[in-house]
Every structure is written in structure tokens, then in C-alpha cells.
């Protein structure tokens, strides 16, 4: 059973940066891609970035050009570099398999962007 642990969130002013980390307790090589999701209060969870085991990346339009996903699925780690943060990026951020989140959700990491 894979367990996911997210970290790196915090409170930052608009325009600032944060780097999120995701560590998986078991092997995630069995899946094709990992992703970062976020859920803002009162909204559905959404996928914002994904990386395949071949290193290809994909981003939601709202974060393209500001967020960068990286990592090594063989080492069970995924990162999300977030730059030029906006108040609308405020949410709890989670990692999971991209597009089809098959693993149990971790606790996530809170990102709060003040204006």
C-alpha cells in the first residue's frame, strides 16, 4: 500500500514562491504519471500538474508558466515549484497518480497566498 506524504506548504505573499515535495512510501513505478492536485475551500479537487515516468509534463492553464513539476518516479519523489503565486492559488495541495488517482490521499499541504 503506497502512502503519500506532502510537505513544503506555507503562507506567502502574492508574487512569492514555494516548493512542495511529495514522498511515496512504496514504489510508484507501476503507474504512468504522478500529479499534483489542489482543493480550494468550497471547490472540487483539480489536477494542476503531471509528470510521466518518461519525464513529460502537463499543466493546467491556470498555472502554466508559473508552476514546474519535477521528480523521479523511480525514487518515489515528486516536486512542485510554484512561482509568481496568486491569492487564487490558495488551497490544500496533494500528490497522487495523475488523471486517475488510485492511491489513498495523503493529508496534503496547505498553501496560503496573501494579497
Amino acid at each position: 500500500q503506497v502512502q503519500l506524504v506532502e510537505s513544503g506548504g506555507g503562507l506567502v505573499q502574492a508574487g512569492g514562491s514555494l516548493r512542495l515535495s511529495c514522498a511515496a512510501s512504496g514504489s510508484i513505478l507501476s503507474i504512468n504519471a504522478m500529479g499534483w492536485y489542489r482543493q480550494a475551500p468550497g471547490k472540487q479537487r483539480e489536477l494542476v500538474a503531471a509528470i510521466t515516468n518518461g519525464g513529460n509534463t502537463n499543466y493546467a492553464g491556470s498555472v502554466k508558466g508559473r508552476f514546474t513539476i519535477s521528480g523521479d518516479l523511480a525514487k518515489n519523489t515528486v516536486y512542485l515549484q510554484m512561482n509568481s503565486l496568486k491569492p487564487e492559488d490558495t488551497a490544500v495541495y496533494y500528490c497522487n497518480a495523475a488523471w486517475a488517482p488510485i492511491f489513498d490521499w495523503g493529508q496534503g499541504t496547505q498553501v496560503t497566498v496573501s494579497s
Side-chain angles (χ1 to χ4, degrees), residues 3 14 16 69 79 83-84 87 89 95 105 110 114-115:
Q3 291 186 323
I69 189 170
Y79 306 99
N83 298 328
S84 302
D89 294 318
C95 60
W105 294 99
Q110 175 71 48
S114 63
S115 57

Side-chain angles (χ1 to χ4, degrees), residues 9 16 46 51 54 58 61 65 71 80 104 112:
E46 61 172 341
I51 184 167
N58 187 278
L80 186 68
D104 289 341
T112 303

Side-chain angles (χ1 to χ4, degrees), residues 66-111:
R66 301 187 297 121
F67 291 9
T68 302
I69 189 170
S70 64
D72 187 342
L73 272 59
K75 297 182 179 179
N76 302 328
T77 55
V78 183
Y79 306 99
L80 186 68
Q81 177 67 43
M82 305 187 297
N83 298 328
S84 302
L85 282 161
K86 304 176 180 180
E88 51 263 44
D89 294 318
T90 295
V92 180
Y93 285 71
Y94 305 86
C95 60
N96 209 314
W99 298 292
I102 62 171
F103 304 124
D104 289 341
W105 294 99
Q107 296 211 346
T109 186
Q110 175 71 48
V111 172

Side-chain angles (χ1 to χ4, degrees), residues 32-71:
N32 294 323
M34 283 292 288
W36 280 97
Y37 298 75
R38 69 184 181 188
Q39 187 168 22
K43 295 188 177 181
Q44 287 191 333
R45 196 171 305 187
E46 61 172 341
L47 178 66
V48 296
I51 184 167
T52 70
N53 52 19
N56 294 317
T57 58
N58 187 278
Y59 299 94
S62 59
V63 307
K64 189 174 290 186
R66 301 187 297 121
F67 291 9
T68 302
I69 189 170
S70 64

